[in-house]
Structures are given as structure tokens and as C-alpha cells.
Amino acid sequence: MSKINIKKGDNVIILAGESRGEKGRVLNVDREKQRVLVEGVNMVTKATKPSAKHPQGGLVKIEAPIHISNVSLIDPVSGKATRISIKREDGKKVRIAKKSGKEIK
């Protein structure tokens, strides 16, 4: 299994699939299945029964997970897809964007 460099709250761009080119914030990372949930991307329609949350029931649009290989972190300077490197500063691991050399917060 490859190392997962994407964390909850990161800004990512979609590299492949129907939502290619869209940008969003990571809501959840499933390390076992190697999938990420990105806000407002890969929306699917799900039929739901009436409940307290949705008293009418019916069709609800929700985000579906995307494989982690189809997303890439966004460079904080250029706004384009970038790979990352990890450096140690003062005993802490810091993620650095390969394109600009800037730290990813």
C-alpha cells in the first residue's frame, strides 16, 4: 500500500473522472479503502426514506468518495496540482509543495 499524503481539510484538484478539473476541500479520508470525500465533487443522487432529518424523503444529492490516485494537492502559490515532499523542522514533519517549495498548511 502506498503512502497517503492527503489529509482532512486539504485543498485538492480532481485529476480524472467526470469531475476532472474541479477543486474542493477534503471532508474525509478512508485509508483502508484509499478513498477521499471531497466537498461538492462527485455528487450522486440517493433515494432516502422519510426520517426526522428529511421528513419528505425522496432524492438527496450527496458526495461520493473518489479514489485517492485521482486527486492531487493544490500548490498554495500557483493553484495547480503538485506532489509533496516531507522535511523535518524542529522535530516536526512538514509537507512541502514540489512545484513552489512552499509549506502546505
Side-chain angles (χ1 to χ4, degrees):
M1 186 186 315
S2 63
K3 187 157 182 141
I4 296 176
N5 295 320
I6 296 173
K7 297 180 182 178
K8 181 179 176 178
D10 283 346
N11 289 321
V12 294
I13 187 166
I14 310 302
L15 300 176
E18 199 173 292
S19 303
R20 181 179 183 183
E22 292 184 34
K23 297 176 182 180
R25 188 171 49 88
V26 175
L27 299 175
N28 190 15
V29 178
D30 186 353
R31 293 186 183 281
E32 279 187 19
K33 295 181 182 176
Q34 292 192 348
R35 296 193 167 267
V36 292
L37 197 63
V38 182
E39 186 176 35
V41 177
N42 197 24
M43 300 296 283
V44 295
T45 306
K46 184 177 179 182
T48 59
K49 288 185 175 183
S51 65
K53 192 173 184 182
H54 302 284
Q56 272 310 102
L59 301 176
V60 178
K61 288 204 166 254
I62 61 167
E63 294 101 353
I66 304 170
H67 196 270
I68 205 147
S69 65
N70 294 332
V71 299
S72 180
L73 283 169
I74 294 177
D75 190 331
V77 176
S78 68
K80 295 182 180 178
T82 184
R83 292 175 295 146
I84 70 162
S85 64
I86 295 177
K87 293 185 180 177
R88 291 192 178 269
E89 291 181 4
D90 302 327
K92 291 185 177 181
K93 287 184 182 179
V94 178
R95 297 183 300 163
I96 308 291
K98 289 257 188 178
K99 281 197 174 170
S100 66
K102 301 289 181 189
E103 180 181 344
I104 297 175
K105 307 272 182 194

